[in-house]
Amino acid sequence: MSAVPTTAHAAALATPHWRTVVRHPEFRRGAADIAHVALGIGAWGLVTGVAMVQSGLSVPLALFMSLLVFAGSAQLTALPLLVAGAPLWVVWAAATCVNLRFVIFSAFWRPYFMPYPRAYRLRLGYFSGDLNYVLFMRRFPEPHPKPEQLPYFWGGVAVNWSAWQGLSILGIVLADAVPASWGLGFAGVLALLGVTASLLQSRPAWVAAGVAAAAAIAAYALPLRLNILVAIAAAVAAGLLAEAAERSARGHRRRLSHAGNDAEERKP
């Protein structure tokens, strides 16, 4: 399969008007699919908003960061490092490692969205999220561009972005009025665990998650929250090894199956 779309595909998938996208049935389907986890997304956004202000960021700067970055895991990774006075390169390295998964997401999304102009694809990249990716791939497992894919994507984005930003901004504005006794940090952790569990759809993913948890705990004593970087590096390595082992096992099973079929055909 070629990842680069044909001229016919490019012509068929011209950037649609937003009204056409919103009125498409797939827009409503995309919104409904992600609405089931919107509460967890919003809860984590609320915790992130509170954490940004209580970590020392001013309200305008926290609002700017929330709207510009739109990456909760990277924001929460960078905050403790900033508070601890970590060197800028450590902050950038940690945030980059956390967001490396979006490079993989983009590679898988490429066959679907390549027909659209680059500026439009950059806009899609800003609004993309973990759950958008998972639900999109479930809805469209075949990597071929179709007109209904874009409305489905934007439907999910509308709910995901609104849930996150709405509660994140609320947390930023009300951060000073939220007492620590409410335990929002623990509630946010539970919400994130629920969202994370929905992303673990394969054995390599579970292996990577388990290794990340173990590495983060084992390296907890490192300064400047460097245990986060250790966990990320260990998870990536473990995930890649597990995926390679799984591919090898599948190939071995296929070869055994072909050998068995050949033996059956050679029988008199």
Side-chain angles (χ1 to χ4, degrees), residues 8-227:
H9 276 145
L13 297 179
T15 305
H17 192 273
W18 67 268
R19 290 178 182 172
T20 304
V21 171
V22 172
R23 291 172 181 171
H24 198 286
E26 286 294 328
F27 181 90
R28 294 189 293 274
R29 178 167 181 169
D33 284 351
I34 208 167
H36 297 90
V37 293
L39 183 60
I41 295 170
W44 193 241
L46 177 65
V47 172
T48 303
V50 172
M52 284 193 289
V53 175
Q54 292 187 351
S55 295
L57 293 182
S58 65
V59 170
L61 187 57
L63 290 171
F64 177 76
M65 184 179 187
S66 180
L67 294 170
L68 178 68
V69 177
F70 184 43
S73 55
Q75 290 169 238
L76 290 174
T77 299
L79 283 175
L81 297 174
L82 292 172
V83 172
L88 187 59
W89 72 266
V90 174
V91 178
W92 280 103
T96 300
C97 289
V98 169
N99 279 339
L100 279 177
R101 67 191 187 281
F102 285 102
V103 177
I104 300 173
F105 294 170
S106 298
F108 280 99
W109 257 323
R110 185 175 185 270
Y112 300 91
F113 297 141
M114 195 60 188
Y116 301 106
R118 179 176 298 173
Y120 194 79
R121 283 183 277 127
L122 289 174
R123 198 184 315 168
L124 295 176
Y126 165 77
F127 284 103
S128 64
D130 299 275
L131 291 175
N132 294 116
Y133 170 78
V134 172
L135 294 174
F136 184 93
M137 291 301 169
R138 285 181 185 173
R139 178 70 183 91
F140 302 104
E142 295 297 326
H144 303 297
K146 296 178 181 178
E148 61 267 27
Q149 292 165 351
L150 201 59
Y152 183 88
F153 175 89
W154 283 118
V157 159
V159 175
N160 184 62
W161 190 88
S162 300
W164 174 269
Q165 295 293 1
L167 272 295
S168 180
I169 292 172
L170 182 65
I172 291 170
V173 174
L174 300 179
D176 293 333
V178 176
S181 59
W182 284 14
L184 281 181
F186 182 67
V189 170
L190 293 180
L192 184 63
L193 286 175
V195 172
T196 302
S198 68
L199 301 176
L200 303 179
Q201 303 293 325
S202 63
R203 184 178 300 174
W206 279 102
V207 169
V211 170
I217 294 172
Y220 186 76
L222 291 177
L224 301 178
R225 300 296 179 93
L226 290 176
N227 62 317

Side-chain angles (χ1 to χ4, degrees), residues 237-255:
L240 291 175
L241 289 173
E243 188 173 357
E246 195 171 84
R247 284 199 305 267
S248 178
R250 285 198 301 265
H252 182 64
R253 287 194 295 269
R254 282 196 298 267
R255 288 192 294 271

